[in-house]
Amino acid sequence: MLSVIVPVFNEAATLPHVLAMVSMALPAVAKEIIVVDDGSSDGTREWLKANFPTGSCCATSLTVGVDGGLVFTDEPAIAPVTVRLFYHERNSGKGAALQTGLAEAKGDVIVIQDADLEYDPADWTVMYDLIVRRKIADVVYGSRFYGRPHRSLYFHHYLANRFISLVFNLLYNQTLTDIECCYKMFTRDVMSRLRLTCNDFGCEIQLSAQIARAGRWRIYEMGISYFGRTYEEGKKIGWRDGVKAIWYLARFRVFS
């Protein structure tokens, strides 16, 4: 089974479509979607409670109805999809939501999915194949810099991502190109050894640092599509997160 961890904060406009896309990815693979609402205040929480009144649901696929609600479908030929909901009473950060989701994950393989529409779950096919079918990887990173569809946006974001990845590679002896990428897929063995404590976006650095320092897992990287959004469209990460990422790179290399 594939566990999909979906941290959510104020994504009422995009979350229904994300859940539908996730449900249709890897249709032959049983999935659990763990949605962690991190104190949303834009109607996301109310929408979740209206569509999942019991806090969970099982179907084979989800689609978005004309009213914006979810339509649940059961087809015998498609693997089941279970959705489970968890709520934080106040906003604590992406890392805090990931900690909750990882603690609840039951799958043999785990992947992280943001609640916006910047990433396409169709890219999981190759990632999953490397881990489960070919059995040559324990961790697969997505990279937005491999020539697949990639929306051209902020140069300073591109530069910051490249610099953070460069420093990470120097400190942890890796060759990854996109450390801050959301898409990270890994086995349950990897997950069981992660000890995340960062509540903010530093979770991306901490997770990668722990994987690299373990020195026992086969790490792969592959190009993914990236449909980035502007700040006006809801992008949340800012320059302060970039500055903190540099601090986290050193902190987790020296003190962890």
Side-chain angles (χ1 to χ4, degrees), residues 107-139:
D108 303 304
V109 179
I110 295 88
V111 67
I112 301 167
Q113 169 70 50
D114 282 349
D116 51 42
L117 291 172
E118 291 190 333
Y119 296 88
D120 186 355
D123 287 325
W124 295 346
T125 301
V126 177
M127 301 173 77
Y128 190 81
D129 181 74
L130 291 170
I131 293 174
V132 176
R133 298 191 175 95
R134 298 186 63 185
K135 300 184 184 301
I136 60 174
D138 301 298
V139 182

Side-chain angles (χ1 to χ4, degrees), residues 160 163-164 167 171 205 241-251:
F163 180 71
I164 290 168
V167 175
L171 292 176
I205 302 296
D241 298 295
V243 173
K244 286 194 289 185
I246 301 301
W247 155 243
Y248 283 134
L249 285 168
R251 172 186 166 187

